[in-house]
Amino acid sequence: MLALALSSAAAAQTMDVPLTAVPGEPVRGRAIVTTRPLGLCLLCHAGPFPDRHLHGSIAPDLAGVGARLTPGEIRMRLVDPAASNPESIMPSYRRAAGALRPGRAFQGKPILSDQAIEDVVAFLATLKEE
């Protein structure tokens, strides 16, 4: 999620149409973001969650991301992080092919389902305070 902190000029890359007909559920999204085996987010990002000393520090802090980016911009960064930052090391959570050295569990399949991505978008959009 390295691309989450890009400026508003780079934020022109957006994906305003949800991936599913079912709206994202913030509670499920929070579980994905804060549970390392599910979303892997806290390997790289910090955020307004317990055990902050165990969070990653190589990517932007998720605090306030919902104030900085629209849901469409958050969705795009999960689906295609390189669209807004070609230097991003964040993986696409949706693409199944072309991933760099995916672990065995993720070979040939996406990291998150479309519904899980929508849940994460719904949760991250609630994070309004820095």
Side-chain angles (χ1 to χ4, degrees):
M1 295 184 177
L2 179 60
L4 285 173
L6 291 179
S7 70
S8 58
Q13 292 290 343
T14 186
M15 191 172 181
D16 292 326
V17 178
L19 302 173
T20 64
V22 177
E25 171 53 52
V27 173
R28 286 193 308 254
R30 182 179 182 14
I32 293 167
V33 169
T34 60
T35 306
R36 283 187 186 227
L38 293 178
L40 309 170
C41 305
L42 297 182
L43 289 175
C44 298
H45 295 277
F49 319 114
D51 299 322
R52 192 166 173 92
H53 67 286
L54 299 175
H55 299 182
S57 60
I58 63 170
D61 195 313
L62 296 175
V65 69
R68 293 190 305 271
L69 300 175
T70 68
E73 292 165 340
I74 295 169
R75 184 178 298 108
M76 180 59 105
R77 282 159 176 77
L78 293 169
V79 169
D80 186 8
S84 59
N85 179 4
E87 303 286 319
S88 178
I89 62 170
M90 183 174 143
S92 166
Y93 279 76
R94 188 175 194 223
R95 184 177 59 229
L100 265 168
R101 297 182 309 241
R104 278 199 183 111
F106 300 108
Q107 289 179 353
K109 55 187 166 183
I111 296 171
L112 294 177
S113 69
D114 286 353
Q115 188 60 56
I117 289 171
E118 289 303 316
D119 294 341
V120 170
V121 170
F123 170 63
L124 292 177
T126 71
L127 300 180
K128 303 288 188 182
E129 293 184 29
E130 293 288 331

